[in-house]
Amino acid sequence: MTEVALLQPVMRDDLVIPEAVVSARDVSLVFDAGGQRVTALSGVDLTIAAGAFVSLIGPSGCGKTTFLRAIADLERPSSGQLLVNGMTPAEARRRRAYGYVFQAPALYPWRNVARNVMLPLEIMGLPRAERRARAARYLGLVGLGDFARKFPWQLSGGMQQRVSIARALAFEPKLLLMDEPFGALDEITRDGLNLHLHELWRRTGMTVVFVTHSIPEAVFLSTRIVVMSARPGRVVEIIENDLPATRDLDLRETSAFLAVAHRVREALRAGHSYD
Amino acid sequence: MRGGRTSLAREGATLPLIAVILALIAVWYVGAVALNAPQAREQLAEGAGFRDLAAATWSMTRPVLPAPHQIAVELARSLFTHPITSPRSLVYHAWVTVSAALAGLGFALALGLLLAIGIVHVRLLDRSLMPWVIASQTVPVLAIAPMVVVVLGNLGITGLLPKAAIAGYLAFFPITVGMVKGLRAPDPLQLDLMRTYDARAMQVFSLLRFPASLGFLFPSLRIAVTLALVGAIVAELPTGAQAGLGARLLAGSYYGQTVQIWAALFMAAAMSMLGLAAVSLIETLAARRRGGRL
């Protein structure tokens, strides 16, 4: 599953541009926070190809979460053009183009684990048997097959977040948007989930847009790393990550890994230099 | 785990509870002597001792404060010696009031839910309706009840409905307030999640807002149950109703039948507790479907 193989040219406005899952052109987003205008995103240009694993990394307030939410049509850009699968984010959302994993698991505490995973399937009107089969499959995939009948509060934070990943995978979206999904977890759990997510992405070939604070996490998971800076939120640098496609945790000790991490750190520092 | 803790707490509370009840009964007997003594002395022969006085104060037909055992005897007599369909049976009167309270509670649930849905979903209603909901409760029910009964009576509506209306008038308030809070309980992420699924408004309500509100509904329902009963009893007072616990209270006070008044009071309290127990039962059943938590 290479990125290039999935790029298909399409005609638009007399231009031949590659079919991208997400394409942002000069996207800006201004919040009106109680009469005060806050520029969350300023002139963001970014193209995300099918099958890519793209991390957005940057300091707090750099707009990485806002950009992810804009892709999901949870925020509306003030100007510029943002397309998801060649459609407006709103159209893409209506076609259920993406699964979204939030910072917190956002499980519904009155539903057991399996019924939480089945929630999107219920809303989308899948037949009961199919819902059950998918819940079992995707809970198995995140290693929680034995916890289907537990309730969220009976699970650790890491397990809850895995349930929320299974829930996002359950309706089999081609695009997975993840907003610091492992931010609140301890290092060891986080390592385990990173490995898990990497294998999941390798196996399914879906496109992932992943927001993180962590340089090692971004380098370990991504094919491309988008470094952003704050005030206003903008893209500082896009780093192609040419580490081998199949990765394990030991990779993080290699000089190639550290070299990419170093580039990310330099880019983050450059973005910070003016304040 | 949770169940274990509550039953432990109950075991620990039994002894103090019994002690408090015994103390209350003792105080009551003393109070009965003190309050009934002036009246009892008139009937006693000169030189009667304290024992005779106490015995007399505890067995008067129209005491100022009847002794607990008198109320118990009256309760037993009016509950068990007549068929429950007879107007002399307290069960009959209790049912007349409770049925009105239940109808009022149903009315309050429907109205409260409807108002809460409107207030949560329509910003204009939030601004315009909520102040009226609150203002409605600043008017004393004793002022409203006669008007409602008289107006509805003129329209030919008598019996259960006017009483249910007054019961509902009191009970809809806690349900509205609780449900507004409950329907707003989902956090932003839980709501965003629904948006990412492109869920319809009905689905957001039935799959998220309503289930999230149940934890708020039951405490409101507890208050509503007792208010509905109070409303139904108060509604029986202004019209001199022939049946119901309120009618018994009124008749008792007309004829100085204090024992009858107290028996009706105890019956009302028992009905209230029955209602609360029913709410708790439904709550437990609802919680069980959610793994023990609401």
Side-chain angles (χ1 to χ4, degrees), chain B residues 38-108:
Chain B
Q39 207 183 335
R41 278 209 188 86
E42 293 170 10
Q43 296 160 16
L44 282 178
E46 281 293 322
F50 180 75
R51 257 167 199 279
D52 300 317
L53 180 66
T57 56
W58 292 339
S59 58
M60 301 170 69
T61 44
R62 292 179 183 183
V64 176
L65 179 64
H69 70 266
Q70 288 181 287
I71 297 165
V73 169
E74 167 69 14
L75 266 175
R77 195 184 57 76
S78 54
L79 283 178
F80 303 122
T81 54
H82 309 287
I84 57 170
T85 52
S86 150
R88 306 181 71 168
S89 166
L90 204 53
V91 178
Y92 166 80
H93 291 283
W95 173 245
V96 167
T97 303
V98 165
S99 57
L102 281 178
L105 195 64
F107 168 66

Side-chain angles (χ1 to χ4, degrees), chain A residues 69 73-74 93-94 96 98 102 104 107-108 110-111 120 122-123 151 153 167, chain B residues 189-190 192-199 203 207-208 211-212 289-291 293:
Chain A
R69 289 175 63 84
D73 189 38
L74 296 173
R93 178 175 64 82
R94 265 178 242 123
R96 284 138 181 174
Y98 63 84
F102 293 95
L107 300 175
Y108 291 6
W110 53 86
R111 290 177 156 245
E122 222 169 290
I123 290 168
F151 281 82
W153 76 83
R167 181 182 59 190
Chain B
L189 286 192
Q190 290 175 328
D192 278 347
L193 190 70
M194 279 294 183
R195 190 169 154 82
T196 69
Y197 300 146
D198 193 35
Q203 292 173 318
L207 295 172
L208 176 58
R289 290 196 51 192
R290 300 173 161 204
R293 274 193 198 183

Side-chain angles (χ1 to χ4, degrees), chain B residues 71 114 192 213 227 229 235 285:
Chain B
I71 297 165
L114 213 66
D192 278 347
S213 74
L227 284 181
L229 198 68
L285 292 177

